[in-house]
Amino acid sequence: MQIFVDANVKRSGNGSKEYPFKRITEAAKIAKPGDEVLVEPGIYREYVDPVNAGTEDARITYRSTKMRGATITGSEPVKNWSNYKGNVWVARIPNGIFGDYNPYTTLVSGDWFIATYIAHTGDVFLNGKSMYEATTLDGVEKPVVYEKSWDPDFTVYTWYTEQDAATNETIIYANFQGKDPNKENVEITVRENCFYPSKEGVGYITLSGFVVKQAATQWAPPTAYQEGMIGPHWSKGWIIEDCEVSDSKCSGISLGKYKQPNNDNKWLHWKFKDGTQTERDNICQAQIEGWTKERIGSHIIRRCDIHDCGQTGIVGHLGGVFSIIEDNHIHHINNKQNLAGAEIGGIKMHAAIDVIIRRNHFHNCTRGLWLDWQAQGTRVSQNLFHDNCLPSDFNANMKNSDALGEDIFIEVSHGPTLLDNNILLSDHAVKLPTQGVAMVHNLIHGSFTAVGRGVLNGSLTQKSPRYTPYHVKHRTEIMGFMTILHGDARFYNNIFVQKAKRPGMEEIQAANVNNEWTDANLTCGTVPYDSYPTYEEWVKQFDGYCGMGSPASDRYYNPLPVWAAGNVYCNGAVPMKKETDAVVCDDKVSIKLVEKDGKYTLETNLYECLKKTDAKMISTEVLGMAFEPEQMYENPDGSPIIFDSDYFGEHRNVNPKVGPFENGKKKIDL
């Protein structure tokens, strides 16, 4: 059955084509498996709470009849501003509009949030752009430019909130820098979510072609209920496609964890167990309470434009397993720099088990992609990454930072994690406090950081290794826990191009020599793995070893072996010493990413400079298995991979070219 919705009708009808509903919520209450909700263009200021689930064979589809013509927003316009003094205006908002959730009395908080940053979950928007919250009225009257923002000039557009208990009103002061807010489009967020079931298990829903924006979402750490403006809320089989998702206070789309009342931000509130331990606890609890492949995950997010969210574009823990995230544009995440903590990125996923992340474009995010814990069977393929860092001018002046940003961060996972046919152009390409990673046919224009570090909990004198889980192959059930030994890495047929070091970056590196979390390495290439053993060296430790009674050694705790072959190094990029067939290119290689009208072109002389190489076809058989889970680098269904397709899907020759392009040119339209 088709159900029709049109915000522009004079009065709500019965959902028929002739008499459509006025609100999507009305359709969401009655839609059943197999139904299609057709939404006409318009602005829908409502929280849509889908009541019923679809089925695998009969989905419930919510579709904008015009691509991105229907907008679901968590905000309301405010037109009752009065001048307070100078450029500062004041508005009084009756608290009845907020129901039981007032974003202007609710602080952003949770595990791994840096609480020195004071922020409410609410926001004030001027002509669609999020203004900056001040912690005092003086910060509105005398705003100061915030250099850490990507847009420092706009940081003087500030607002401050307080409560009037006598009138039960929220008071908002705002500095509009000479603009009249009653003539401009000024909106404030009043709803926590936009399209999100209030109950668990509402699966097999498609959301297609909407604009979804401006919600007062809460911080989404892995040890808490993870919410977003959009999300399946612990269910299976959602499709989110062709949507524009923007301006969530914290996260745009959540594929995250359900609420465990006994372990919801427990580290923040109880404090006596470390966050890592509460994380292990809630993973095990989730397994006991039904976290399985049959019930959870297998979502698809595709062809979405996801931008200008405060914490993440997409967040997930446990709930995103077996999902596909493809063909999305994910950009300008955490650019205001008004939120800080350990859960920030274009995508931040824990337990990305058998998740495929392909053909996405990540840029201008504090971090592009962060795979934290249990990146087992995760494949990151054919993606474009660039400008994922803190603002360039601010970056250059930092002398000590473990958060400079990178294209990809893989943290304390046992793998197998596969990165193939990607273009990585940020200063720091991949942060690697992990093991069980294979990189095949990538173009890498940045450095590897945190190799051999970043896996402890930071205690002062006691040992504090982080034990993380690994799982039954292609399942959620836990097989065991282990610390990170480092190594167990494979590098085949990649191109490494050293980037010119920007002013100030070498000082940053020097300041981080003893930093547990990063070394801020700037040298491109596999050189951080210089000290790691080859497989032959590693296995020799076990010659003649017969278990109990044999001479004691560190054989079970030494770093694992590293494999490298068929790689090319340009502009001073450095191979690891034990890489016997490394090709070092003597010619000067230039790489330039050019944007015009939203289209990106890679301009390079790389393929004129490359020497002939003896690159070999790489496959699952060549890569072997990740050590701890004893799982091959293979497809989610267990079938082997042959890397015979390039960045564009073009078929590779028997003796392929190195890097992501089989047919390299001077100008490559991406």
Side-chain angles (χ1 to χ4, degrees), residues 52-61 195 197 201-207 231-241 254-255 292-302 318-324:
N52 298 313
T55 67
E56 187 171 4
D57 299 323
R59 312 180 62 80
I60 299 176
T61 298
F195 191 96
V202 183
Y204 296 105
I205 284 178
T206 296
L207 184 72
H233 192 179
W234 203 245
S235 65
K236 186 173 181 179
W238 273 45
I239 298 174
I240 302 167
E241 62 183 14
S254 172
L255 304 180
T292 65
K293 187 174 186 177
E294 288 72 30
R295 295 183 65 245
I296 303 299
S298 297
H299 307 297
I300 298 172
I301 301 173
R302 60 191 177 200
L318 306 178
V321 290
F322 315 111
S323 294
I324 297 173

Side-chain angles (χ1 to χ4, degrees), residues 354-422:
D354 281 358
V355 171
I356 297 173
I357 300 170
R358 64 190 175 198
R359 302 190 302 269
N360 302 285
H361 182 187
F362 296 81
H363 66 94
N364 292 95
C365 303
T366 300
R367 285 190 171 91
L369 169 64
W370 189 349
L371 299 170
D372 201 352
W373 293 43
Q374 305 149 275
Q376 183 169 329
T378 310
R379 185 176 183 184
V380 181
S381 181
Q382 300 171 305
N383 300 281
L384 170 62
F385 295 85
H386 61 93
D387 294 294
N388 295 304
C389 56
L390 294 180
S392 299
D393 293 340
F394 180 80
N395 226 358
N397 294 318
M398 292 191 72
K399 296 298 183 284
N400 185 22
S401 174
D402 58 5
L404 291 177
E406 53 276 324
D407 287 329
I408 302 174
F409 181 7
I410 308 170
E411 186 172 7
V412 290
S413 178
H414 301 285
T417 310
L418 174 59
L419 280 57
D420 69 280
N421 291 295
N422 299 289

Side-chain angles (χ1 to χ4, degrees), residues 461-481:
T461 61
Q462 301 297 318
K463 293 180 180 179
S464 58
R466 284 192 282 174
Y467 287 83
T468 59
Y470 53 96
H471 299 261
V472 175
K473 300 172 188 177
H474 310 297
R475 299 284 306 177
T476 60
E477 290 81 2
I478 297 168
M479 277 289 290
F481 289 83

Side-chain angles (χ1 to χ4, degrees), residues 514-536:
N514 297 316
N515 190 329
E516 162 59 23
W517 301 103
T518 187
D519 51 6
N521 172 49
L522 298 171
T523 303
C524 183
T526 53
V527 62
Y529 289 94
D530 257 355
S531 63
Y532 285 75
T534 64
Y535 176 76
E536 291 73 21

Side-chain angles (χ1 to χ4, degrees), residues 99-120:
D100 61 359
Y101 178 79
N102 185 340
Y104 303 94
T105 60
T106 305
L107 292 176
V108 176
S109 67
D111 290 350
W112 284 282
F113 176 70
I114 295 180
T116 53
Y117 285 71
I118 304 300
H120 289 91

Side-chain angles (χ1 to χ4, degrees), residues 435 482-488 532-561 627-628:
Q435 63 188 51
M482 187 54 187
T483 58
I484 300 299
L485 301 177
H486 301 288
D488 193 24
Y532 285 75
T534 64
Y535 176 76
E536 291 73 21
E537 292 171 332
W538 176 77
V539 79
K540 191 174 178 60
Q541 301 174 95
F542 300 90
D543 286 354
Y545 178 63
C546 59
M548 292 295 294
S550 296
S553 81
D554 293 324
R555 59 176 67 86
Y556 289 115
Y557 303 97
N558 284 330
L560 297 166
F627 175 76
E628 208 65 63

